Amino acid sequence: IVIQHDRTFMRTCPIFETVRTMWRNRNIKYVGMSMRSNLMYRDIFLAKYGKSFMGDMASCTLRPLELALDASIYGPTGSSAANIDYGGREDLRENLGALEETYIASQQNLDHAEWMKSNPLEPGKWQLSLTPTFFWYDNVHICETAHYRDFVFDPKYKMVVKGGFVEDKLSPVIKKTVERFGLAEGHSCFGCFLLDDHSGYFFTGHMDGGSYLTKAEKDAFASKN
């Protein structure tokens, strides 16, 4: 798992279940934990490529049995989203609540809702999905070491040199490969996906070091408000 210094988990995230899914489904090489900018990735795809390619996106979206998880934890009524710690910031609560409302009407959510109607699960289960991405986000992700070593950084592919910025160098390669060979074939060698529990909330957030407060400073601020 890769966790950058300025990223944090916003809520409970199924790390163990994701690793198990990757182990049992070897075509999944990278799973990125959702963040604000890619929470509605299918809508980004729709805006870029249009409805004619949404069928390809749907067929390449994965919903492994290993990610049919406890509905009391994940999904729109789960505790993972309900128990987000807003740190007393009502503005953040309102901001994410507004984002949830936008998500409800998104293609990302509507596609999954339609799938859930056609593929009912046993009571108490909620299906998480893996959406193929053309962008290799350096945000919190799980990736096979071998995939980094033997593919991403392999000199013979000339994609990312040692010490290079992976997100910046690899993402254009993924995009060009998919546009040349099609989504199914072009994306398969990269095997990168984004995790979504369709609660309307992302899993990871960004920490602004410029506004960091020590515990003593936080206590002092709280006592004044």
Side-chain angles (χ1 to χ4, degrees), residues 159-173:
M159 294 189 295
V160 183
V161 298
K162 185 176 181 181
F165 186 27
V166 181
E167 180 179 287
D168 180 54
K169 299 298 182 182
L170 189 59
S171 299
V173 177

Side-chain angles (χ1 to χ4, degrees), residues 11-12 14 57 91 98 128 145 160 198 221:
R11 58 192 180 94
T12 301
M57 171 61 79
D91 61 324
L128 283 68
T145 303
V160 183
H198 301 278
F221 178 79

Side-chain angles (χ1 to χ4, degrees), residues 8-214:
T8 185
F9 288 101
M10 298 289 289
R11 58 192 180 94
T12 301
C13 186
I15 298 299
F16 171 80
E17 294 86 348
T18 300
V19 172
R20 181 176 59 188
T21 299
M22 296 174 69
W23 182 254
R24 294 179 179 175
N25 300 270
R26 307 304 290 170
N27 58 313
I28 305 171
K29 304 296 185 182
Y30 160 113
V31 175
M33 303 300 134
S34 61
M35 57 182 178
R36 180 187 292 270
S37 64
N38 63 25
L39 179 62
M40 292 172 273
Y41 190 82
R42 279 174 238 179
D43 295 75
I44 297 174
F45 178 90
L46 176 61
K48 176 72 174 179
Y49 297 100
K51 292 183 178 180
S52 58
F53 292 99
M54 286 304 289
D56 292 338
M57 171 61 79
S59 64
C60 291
T61 297
L62 306 180
R63 296 178 175 87
L65 290 176
E66 293 85 357
L67 289 178
L69 304 180
D70 190 339
S72 69
I73 301 176
Y74 300 106
T77 61
S79 61
S80 176
N83 293 337
I84 292 177
D85 183 0
Y86 296 97
R89 289 185 54 191
E90 195 59 34
D91 61 324
L92 179 59
R93 183 188 298 275
E94 293 177 358
N95 184 283
L96 296 188
L99 180 63
E100 180 193 16
E101 292 297 320
T102 300
Y103 180 91
I104 291 173
S106 71
Q107 198 66 45
Q108 180 87 13
N109 184 56
L110 295 176
D111 286 350
H112 191 70
E114 189 65 31
W115 185 92
M116 291 288 285
K117 289 180 182 178
S118 303
N119 299 270
L121 303 178
E122 63 180 271
K125 292 293 185 179
W126 180 260
Q127 183 67 54
L128 283 68
S129 71
L130 295 172
T131 302
T133 173
F134 302 170
F135 199 90
W136 189 281
Y137 294 92
D138 281 342
N139 182 47
V140 180
H141 64 273
I142 300 171
C143 183
E144 289 188 345
T145 303
H147 195 51
Y148 262 123
R149 182 188 62 235
D150 303 332
F151 181 66
V152 175
F153 292 124
D154 193 322
K156 72 180 180 182
Y157 296 119
K158 299 180 180 180
M159 294 189 295
V160 183
V161 298
K162 185 176 181 181
F165 186 27
V166 181
E167 180 179 287
D168 180 54
K169 299 298 182 182
L170 189 59
S171 299
V173 177
I174 299 174
K175 182 175 179 288
K176 291 178 181 178
T177 304
V178 169
E179 291 178 346
R180 179 179 180 183
F181 295 104
L183 182 53
E185 182 182 353
H187 182 268
S188 61
C189 59
F190 300 97
C192 45
F193 298 85
L194 297 174
L195 180 68
D196 187 8
D197 75 335
H198 301 278
S199 64
Y201 291 84
F202 44 90
F203 282 114
T204 63
H206 178 257
M207 294 186 293
D208 183 3
S211 61
Y212 175 78
L213 297 176
T214 65

